[in-house]
Amino acid sequence: MRSSSGQRWAVLLIAAVYWFATTVCGQDPPAAYLQTPSAEQLEWHRLEYYAFVHFGPNTFTGEEWGRSQSTPDVFKPAALDTDQWAKSFADAGMAAMILTAKHHDGMALWDTNTTTYKIGNGAWAKNRTAQGLSADVVKLAAASAKKYGIKFGIYLSPWDIHRDPAMPKAKLADTLYDEPQIFGDNSPGDYNEFYAKQLTELVTMKYEDSTPIELSELWLDGNSGSNTVQTFNWTNFRNIIREHQPSAIMWGHQGVDARWVGNEDGVTVATNWHSISRTQDQEHYSGDELQTGVRDGTYWTPAEADARIRNGWFYHATERPKSASTLMDMYLQSVGRSVNLLLDVPPDTTGQIVKSDVDILLQFKAQRDAFLNRTLLTPGLEVNASSIRDDNSTFFGPGNVLDGNFTTYWAITDEETTGSIEIDLGGNHTVDAFITQEHIALGQRIGGYVIDGLVDGDYKTLVRGTSLGYKRIDTLDEPVETSQIRLRITQANATPLINSFQVLGV
Ligand SMILES: *[C@@H]1O[C@H](CO)[C@@H](O)[C@H](O)[C@H]1NC(C)=O
Ligand SMILES: *[C@@H]1O[C@H](CO)[C@@H](O)[C@H](O)[C@H]1NC(C)=O
Ligand SMILES: *[C@@H]1O[C@H](CO)[C@@H](O)[C@H](O)[C@H]1NC(C)=O
Ligand SMILES: *[C@@H]1O[C@H](CO)[C@@H](O)[C@H](O)[C@H]1NC(C)=O
Ligand SMILES: *[C@@H]1O[C@H](CO)[C@@H](O)[C@H](O)[C@H]1NC(C)=O
Ligand SMILES: *[C@@H]1O[C@H](CO)[C@@H](O)[C@H](O)[C@H]1NC(C)=O
Ligand SMILES: *[C@@H]1O[C@H](CO)[C@@H](O)[C@H](O)[C@H]1NC(C)=O
Ligand SMILES: *[C@@H]1O[C@H](CO)[C@@H](O)[C@H](O)[C@H]1NC(C)=O
């Protein structure tokens, strides 16, 4: 009796374990791998392409790095129209704009209480105010961004020439703008406190109707052109941003939420990881190291590639915009390599984006759309996979790579790190590009992939890639006639997860 009861218990136990394994465990997604993006970073990856707006005294003096020698009277846009900026960017398919609230010269574009050196003290602003018009360019730009449905971010230069004792400002001596030289660890006064106040004003700024302005990104430039050593309190700046703008990304040379790509050309190298292993407070990586990132690094700090539509960051009448094709190449080497593209499009002295640049942005959009709009794979098309996690095609099946849903993905069985999917194109097509997205919500895992096309009955290797990440656009030098495509994950440090796969051609 005892033993038969024991057997019954054993059978029940096995049944319970089986039920637990298939039902309870099967319901868990694969375990996250090392670092993963925060919800805010994940949203930020999806912005992909947005505008940088360099505007300020340099616009009127023709400089790039003004020496803080001009009074605010220099800032006098003849026909400022921030709506025109926002509309142009929205029409161009840009997701946001980031405005220089204060560049290195130190002149503030918003109505700050931290310094007299602000456009608000110039003749242009006083005239506007007298007419009942706002002269706070940061607030005006934020309102325009909202009106046209794009996000708004702020650049606030940590290096401040206006406060830097190493930068002589003879022309401002004995004026209202002759302010204490507090920049530098050895200077009297606390520059960190000053900067924190400026940051606080900006992150708590409100629209005219008193609702808070939501910022998508705070751009804390790593640049300095003087020998004055100033140790910044990045922790404090981060705390201020987190407290008032919890959904904003804090951009810095190597952190906190997003990093510099190591050049100002809007491009990165083929192998590019979303993580690094240093913070803002540590020794700076070289430009090459910033491009590559660190595989399995300590922090999820993805790269953003900044670039200029013209030669300068600020508007200079003698310069011309790059061509739409040049921007398309840049796009493929930034967004196409899992890195966001931040393209500077500077307003001129009227305070508007010039027509030639708007035209180029729209041509670039048309070229991009025409390229991306040649998708050969439609949702529901049959996709074969080498294996499927738990044999559960609903949740982990390869069809998920075609469903256009950013939360679903194809997963192979947990024990494996390589695998493949195959898709019949239903006849011959001329194929020239592929778009592949890793499911980064659970970490960056893949370090090798290959895309093959069936040509005359044999698979021919078309693409050989390393890191995948948020999004890869692989283009072929020569289009290929093929009827079937295979994506192979050849190396991964944990079970690979593919969010999306697309074939472009005709
Ligand atoms: C598939 O997985 C989901 C979630 O993990 C689970 O709810 C569902 O029961 C599974 N289906 C099968 C057939 O195993
Ligand atoms: C400057 O101070 C005034 C008076 O306290 C306040 O109303 C205003 O909001 C401050 N400006 C900024 C940009 O914080
Ligand atoms: C003030 O602005 C008005 C309208 O833009 C302009 O006609 C006038 O010349 C300006 N006055 C000064 C002193 O700039
Ligand atoms: C930096 O800011 C943090 C947070 O406000 C503060 O605790 C810390 O003391 C500051 N560090 C320095 C060196 O002042
Ligand atoms: C993509 O192509 C379809 C049909 O060819 C067209 O209706 C649509 O407007 C195009 N979209 C873009 C963004 O070009
Ligand atoms: C995406 O997939 C998730 C998980 O299956 C589902 O809950 C969600 O409704 C889907 N979203 C769309 C837009 O279909
Ligand atoms: C997918 O699998 C089915 C069933 O095994 C097979 O008939 C079909 O040829 C396969 N298709 C591809 C593209 O491998
Ligand atoms: C596809 O193209 C290949 C190579 O050009 C050719 O051999 C094959 O017959 C074509 N298949 C179809 C279905 O047209």
Side-chain angles (χ1 to χ4, degrees), residues 106-394:
M107 197 186 294
L109 266 58
W110 79 102
D111 193 17
T112 177
N113 292 325
T114 58
T115 176
T116 53
Y117 201 54
K118 56 179 176 180
I119 62 166
N121 279 334
W124 173 83
K126 286 184 172 155
N127 190 8
R128 265 182 83 97
T129 312
Q131 296 171 58
L133 298 171
S134 168
D136 188 318
V137 175
V138 177
K139 270 195 191 187
L140 285 167
S144 298
K146 189 180 182 197
K147 181 169 168 186
Y148 288 95
I150 62 173
K151 291 179 184 291
F152 185 66
I154 281 175
Y155 167 112
L156 182 67
S157 176
W159 181 39
D160 190 328
I161 295 174
H162 189 63
R163 300 294 190 151
D164 184 344
M167 311 294 287
K169 288 158 287 275
K171 289 185 182 159
L172 297 185
D174 303 322
T175 70
L176 170 65
Y177 310 113
D178 191 350
E179 295 187 287
Q181 300 297 288
I182 58 175
F183 187 87
D185 294 346
N186 298 324
S187 309
D190 188 346
Y191 182 78
N192 275 313
E193 194 184 310
F194 170 81
Y195 188 88
K197 274 189 195 151
Q198 295 203 319
L199 193 57
T200 305
E201 286 187 349
L202 291 166
V203 296
T204 58
M205 195 175 256
K206 297 188 167 56
Y207 297 109
E208 291 305 326
D209 69 3
S210 295
T211 58
I213 292 174
E214 195 178 313
L215 300 176
S216 60
E217 185 164 333
L218 276 303
W219 224 87
L220 312 190
D221 198 344
N223 223 340
S224 169
S226 101
N227 293 327
T228 308
V229 175
Q230 168 68 51
T231 310
F232 295 106
N233 192 337
W234 301 113
T235 305
N236 192 38
F237 305 159
R238 186 204 61 200
N239 292 349
I240 290 168
I241 293 169
R242 289 285 190 267
E243 181 184 349
H244 300 285
Q245 297 282 343
S247 60
I249 291 299
M250 177 174 164
W251 184 98
H253 184 95
Q254 50 200 32
V256 168
D257 300 313
R259 74 177 193 262
W260 188 38
V261 81
N263 64 64
E264 295 182 333
D265 305 323
V267 301
T268 189
V269 287
T271 302
N272 174 284
W273 306 101
H274 290 319
S275 55
I276 55 174
S277 294
R278 284 184 200 162
T279 69
Q280 286 274 77
D281 295 315
Q282 290 172 291
E283 184 198 340
H284 281 181
Y285 283 115
S286 71
D288 288 348
E289 289 169 327
L290 284 166
Q291 290 197 59
T292 310
V294 174
R295 188 173 198 184
D296 296 343
T298 318
Y299 310 100
W300 189 275
T301 316
E304 177 191 78
D306 52 334
R308 294 150 286 183
I309 196 168
R310 293 162 166 254
N311 269 351
W313 294 99
F314 287 88
Y315 179 82
H316 306 293
T318 51
E319 296 176 358
R320 293 287 165 267
K322 298 182 167 71
S323 71
S325 303
T326 302
L327 296 182
M328 188 70 197
D329 286 344
M330 193 188 269
Y331 172 85
L332 291 172
Q333 291 176 74
S334 52
V335 176
R337 288 176 171 173
S338 291
V339 160
N340 284 2
L341 176 59
L342 174 62
L343 182 66
D344 184 58
V345 189
D348 70 359
T349 55
T350 67
Q352 297 185 24
I353 312 289
V354 287
K355 185 172 181 305
S356 61
D357 297 20
V358 175
D359 289 346
I360 290 292
L361 288 180
L362 295 179
Q363 282 170 30
F364 170 38
K365 177 175 194 293
Q367 205 171 322
R368 208 164 68 239
D369 286 346
F371 172 80
L372 296 172
N373 202 12
R374 301 169 304 128
T375 53
L376 293 176
L377 309 184
T378 48
L381 203 68
E382 185 182 344
V383 187
N384 289 6
S386 57
S387 79
I388 300 173
R389 186 170 191 260
D390 297 339
D391 281 327
N392 187 334
S393 7
T394 313

Side-chain angles (χ1 to χ4, degrees), residues 377-418:
L377 309 184
T378 48
L381 203 68
E382 185 182 344
V383 187
N384 289 6
S386 57
S387 79
I388 300 173
R389 186 170 191 260
D390 297 339
D391 281 327
N392 187 334
S393 7
T394 313
F395 276 71
F396 305 120
N400 288 345
V401 305
L402 298 185
D403 68 2
N405 186 329
F406 193 65
T407 62
T408 67
Y409 49 91
W410 163 55
I412 60 173
T413 52
D414 282 355
E415 301 73 35
E416 295 170 2
T417 53
T418 60

